């Protein structure tokens, strides 16, 4: 059990380091994230069996972490834009004095592997919960809603397909899947050249 948890946590290191390097999370916050994930993973891997509430709590924590990551990234990008604007104004003033060009600061990567990591981890936890608890309808619908909110259209198609295999008589699931195929999946229509 400990080896499985450690392996999962080790796969999470590069994206978390990316988030730390881009100043989205501090080193202490990354340690806290790892500790919280370790605790959640041990709950999911315990011998007595994980409960649905353990999975849902882990998913809620990760969704809250994703919201925080988005806010922090936006804050960092706003600060970067302000700094660039300020440098541009300083460069204009120095070039007007005949001093020449200004110095350029180090470039900042605006995206990296950490940006999609948290959402991918939520997908992973949802998939494990669905397999462990045999695709309960409420969890399938919650997962589909999460995938819609985060623009995971490929995963959404799979969620509906697997959900309909397990719940073929669920009217609500059929309606949502049909609505997704008709309205939400229209971006894939251009792939066949528009032939009907």
């Amino acid at each position: 059990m400990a080896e499985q948890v450690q392996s999962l946590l080790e796969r999470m290191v590069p994206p978390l380091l990316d988030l730390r390097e881009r100043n989205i999370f501090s080193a202490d916050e990354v340690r806290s994230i790892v500790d919280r994930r370790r605790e959640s993973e041990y709950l999911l891997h315990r011998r007595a069996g994980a409960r649905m509430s353990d999975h849902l709590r882990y998913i809620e924590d990760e969704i809250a972490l994703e919201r925080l990551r988005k806010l922090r990234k936006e804050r960092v990008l706003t600060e970067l834009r302000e700094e660039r604007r300020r440098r541009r104004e300083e460069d204009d003033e120095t070039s007007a004095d005949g001093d020449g060009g200004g110095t350029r600061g180090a470039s900042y990567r605006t995206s990296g592997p950490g940006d999609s990591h948290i959402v991918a981890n939520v997908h992973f936890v949802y998939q494990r919960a669905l397999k462990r608890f045999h695709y309960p309808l409420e969890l399938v619908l919650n997962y589909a809603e999460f995938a819609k909110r985060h623009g995971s259209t490929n995963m959404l198609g799979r969620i509906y397909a697997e959900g309909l295999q397990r719940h073929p008589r669920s009217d609500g699931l059929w309606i949502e899947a049909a609505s997704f195929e008709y309205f939400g999946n229209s971006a894939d229509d251009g792939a066949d050249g528009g032939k009907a």
Side-chain angles (χ1 to χ4, degrees):
M1 175 174 82
E3 295 86 17
Q4 290 174 332
V5 171
Q6 189 62 32
S7 174
L8 286 170
L9 292 174
E10 286 174 3
R11 281 188 238 145
M12 298 176 186
V13 169
L16 289 174
L17 287 177
D18 173 61
L19 291 171
R20 189 187 74 199
E21 289 169 0
R22 293 189 294 136
N23 295 325
I24 294 175
F25 294 121
S26 69
D28 290 337
E29 289 172 327
V30 169
R31 262 187 242 106
S32 173
I33 291 168
V34 170
D35 290 343
R36 206 171 59 242
R37 284 181 176 177
R38 179 179 292 116
E39 181 182 322
S40 296
E41 288 294 339
Y42 273 117
L43 285 174
L44 299 186
H45 284 89
R46 65 181 167 204
R47 285 187 182 204
R51 294 181 286 246
M52 177 77 81
S53 62
D54 297 332
H55 284 84
L56 294 176
R57 190 175 313 111
Y58 190 11
I59 289 167
E60 287 172 11
D61 288 346
E62 289 293 301
I63 290 172
L65 183 63
E66 173 63 9
R67 272 190 241 119
L68 179 62
R69 184 204 63 82
K70 281 183 179 179
L71 289 172
R72 295 268 182 94
K73 182 178 178 182
E74 189 57 39
R75 185 196 71 201
V76 167
L77 290 176
T78 302
E79 290 171 357
L80 182 65
R81 276 189 236 108
E82 286 296 316
E83 183 180 333
R84 284 183 181 164
R85 185 188 55 76
R86 189 174 34 80
R87 280 187 183 162
R88 209 174 310 122
E89 290 173 357
E90 289 173 3
D91 286 348
D92 290 344
E93 289 174 8
T94 57
S95 63
D97 295 338
D99 218 5
T103 59
R104 290 270 176 211
S107 64
Y108 178 81
R109 288 184 304 122
T110 57
S111 63
D115 290 341
S116 61
H117 165 71
I118 299 170
V119 172
N121 194 41
V122 174
H123 283 296
F124 182 58
V125 175
Y126 263 121
Q127 288 291 326
R128 290 190 294 173
L130 287 171
K131 287 177 184 169
R132 175 165 283 174
F133 299 107
H134 307 290
Y135 288 79
L137 182 60
E138 184 177 333
L139 188 61
V140 171
L141 294 173
N142 287 343
Y143 186 22
E145 184 61 34
F146 169 79
K148 274 188 224 173
R149 273 186 280 138
H150 291 279
S152 304
T153 56
N154 288 339
M155 190 59 78
L156 191 55
R158 287 188 212 149
I159 294 165
Y160 284 134
E162 291 172 358
L164 288 171
Q165 286 176 352
R166 269 66 172 198
H167 303 283
R169 295 186 178 160
S170 170
D171 296 338
L173 189 58
W174 274 105
I175 290 169
E176 279 199 36
S179 174
F180 165 71
E181 285 298 324
Y182 188 73
F183 297 112
N185 204 12
S186 62
D188 294 337
D189 291 343
D192 63 357
K195 296 178 183 174

